[in-house]
Amino acid sequence: MTICVLMPVFNEGPAVAETLFNLRGIAPDLGGVEVVLVDDGSRVPFDAALCPAPTRDFSCVISRHEINLGQGAALETARQIALARGDFEAYVTMDSDGQHRPEDLRVLLQEIRNGADVVFGNRFRGDSNVPLVRKIVLRLAALFERGVTGLALHDAHNGFRAFNRKAIELCPITQGRMAHATEIKQRVAHGRRQQGLRITEAPVSIRYSDASLKKGQSSWGAFTILKDLVFRSLFGDGTS
Amino acid sequence: MTLASLLLFILVVLVLVLDVVTLRGARKILVLEVLALLTAMVLIVRQDIATGIARRVGLERGVDFVIYPMMVWLFREALLSRHARWVEARRLDRFVRSVAVRQARVFELPRGPEP
């Protein structure tokens, strides 16, 4: 398999099945896709019957948090499982609710093949229907993250990213909730300074629907993220 | 006794009664609390005592003598409890994750009945 997709799931409906089927459809073109799906304590546990049948180019690893820990924690679990599964050319974090288009994996993989260690998706360069208020909040968040990490990226808290093995190993996630997105950038920035990680952005399209907007982060979530970052800087030792 | 002192006094008595009922199992904590609250009751009724002590150490009002150390103590308690919650949350994360990693399974189609 070429790509390992790290996919947290929390109280998703049939959208997960659709995302998995779309991934299986594109898997042969990409050289094979393995999905590591972590159900983060959904009220109704993820039903494995929703998984498409495995093929030579597609497989799915399923795991579950018995209690809800947050998207960052689910991604960290998926990261650990993925690292134990063997070597992949690219490790991609991706939402399960259908916001991210599996076809965009091509451009992320291509950037990795061109020599990037980390590729951040940029929804503003893709064909995304970002609501105005969210656009403003995300622009401000990108500015904030630029100040915190020193990375001049144009999008913030976009869960569509790709890493090679070296980079994903450098990015353990300790932020259980949504602040993990900023933490990942901090780790990547540290990796660039210490290990010379090469970082780039790639256009991706995010499709907002009423359901995804309702379920996703509200703009006020920015304050929770800020609070989590402050507490981590106060209490975290960088290893726990 | 002023109206404010009276209200404070009633509040302390209510807290005392409530905790005597609810903290029966924790005798040492109860004794400590009763001592602290009795002291508070005395200082509420005899404010001149608190003011006298405060003036001896250079404070104008007796209440400042109580509030300043309390603010420091509350700030410390807030930080310590936040830190304790942080540590517990990380511990819970690690535990839940270790179970999830151990139970991760590759999805396979269920096999049909043997012919």
Side-chain angles (χ1 to χ4, degrees):
Chain A
M1 301 282 182
T2 303
I3 297 180
C4 183
V5 174
L6 317 183
M7 185 179 285
V9 173
F10 178 61
N11 289 341
E12 303 292 356
V16 187
E18 194 184 328
T19 304
L20 291 173
F21 271 95
N22 290 339
L23 278 169
R24 190 180 70 164
I26 202 171
D29 294 344
L30 297 168
V33 173
E34 177 158 287
V35 178
V36 177
L37 185 150
V38 177
D39 177 7
D40 186 29
S42 298
R43 277 191 299 276
V44 178
F46 175 75
D47 183 1
L50 291 174
C51 273
T55 63
R56 198 165 55 88
D57 300 306
F58 180 83
S59 62
C60 203
V61 179
I62 302 172
S63 182
R64 173 174 162 82
H65 289 167
E66 287 305 322
I67 55 174
N68 176 244
L69 297 177
Q71 192 185 42
L75 270 179
E76 173 58 15
T77 302
R79 190 189 74 92
Q80 290 187 14
I81 294 170
L83 286 173
R85 294 283 302 161
D87 279 336
F88 296 88
E89 204 173 335
Y91 299 78
V92 177
T93 62
M94 183 176 175
D95 289 357
S96 59
D97 59 2
Q99 278 195 5
H100 296 157
R101 293 190 322 168
E103 304 84 66
D104 287 337
L105 284 172
R106 282 198 190 95
V107 67
L108 295 176
L109 180 64
Q110 192 54 50
E111 290 292 343
I112 293 285
R113 285 181 172 161
N114 288 346
D117 294 299
V118 185
V119 188
F120 288 100
N122 180 356
R123 79 192 88 187
F124 299 117
R125 277 178 56 206
D127 179 25
S128 308
N129 58 338
V130 191
L132 181 64
V133 174
R134 185 150 298 205
K135 204 178 275 186
I136 294 167
V137 171
L138 288 170
R139 292 289 193 194
L140 290 173
L143 277 176
F144 168 77
E145 287 187 339
R146 188 182 291 203
V148 170
T149 65
L151 297 179
L153 299 170
H154 299 90
D155 197 356
H157 286 257
N158 183 342
F160 217 0
R161 351 167 163 81
F163 306 78
N164 63 13
R165 174 99 190 178
K166 175 185 169 190
I168 196 86
E169 281 177 346
L170 291 173
C171 290
I173 303 166
T174 60
Q175 288 283 6
R177 293 186 290 180
M178 297 316 294
H180 73 271
T182 307
E183 185 190 11
I184 287 173
K185 282 189 181 168
Q186 287 175 318
R187 301 260 187 212
V188 168
H190 184 72
R192 185 174 72 164
R193 285 192 300 271
Q194 300 292 318
Q195 315 242 356
L197 288 186
R198 279 159 296 181
I199 301 157
T200 186
E201 279 186 302
V204 295
S205 300
I206 295 192
R207 290 167 299 183
Y208 289 94
S209 63
D210 288 343
S212 67
L213 283 169
K214 197 173 170 187
K215 185 173 182 294
Q217 292 184 72
S218 78
S219 299
W220 293 107
F223 293 103
T224 311
I225 289 169
L226 204 56
K227 187 194 78 182
D228 287 347
L229 289 171
V230 169
F231 283 144
R232 178 175 173 268
S233 66
L234 280 176
F235 303 138
D237 58 5
T239 57
S240 60
Chain B
M1 187 185 273
T2 62
L3 179 63
S5 302
L6 181 66
L7 291 174
L8 266 176
F9 189 82
I10 292 170
L11 177 67
V12 173
V13 171
L14 287 175
V15 169
L16 196 57
V17 171
L18 180 71
D19 286 353
V20 165
V21 175
T22 55
L23 290 176
R24 271 188 200 151
R27 235 180 99 220
K28 285 181 185 168
I29 293 175
L30 186 61
V31 169
L32 189 67
E33 189 177 319
V34 167
L35 283 174
L37 292 182
L38 285 177
T39 309
M41 287 164 84
V42 171
L43 294 178
I44 287 167
V45 177
R46 294 286 311 273
Q47 293 173 17
D48 54 309
I49 298 176
T51 305
I53 297 170
R55 284 190 177 153
R56 275 188 202 173
V57 296
L59 290 173
E60 188 61 29
R61 299 181 311 165
V63 72
D64 292 340
F65 190 64
V66 179
I67 287 176
Y68 290 168
M70 195 168 274
M71 288 303 291
V72 174
W73 180 73
L74 282 177
F75 180 72
R76 178 180 175 275
E77 278 297 307
L79 272 185
L80 287 181
S81 66
R82 279 279 179 191
H83 182 251
R85 276 160 56 190
W86 169 271
V87 171
E88 281 307 309
R90 298 287 81 72
R91 199 174 291 172
L92 184 66
D93 278 10
R94 281 198 294 272
F95 175 70
V96 173
R97 180 166 300 121
S98 69
V99 173
V101 169
R102 197 167 299 175
Q103 293 183 344
R105 293 285 176 268
V106 179
F107 173 69
E108 289 169 345
L109 283 180
R111 289 183 179 192
E114 292 293 327

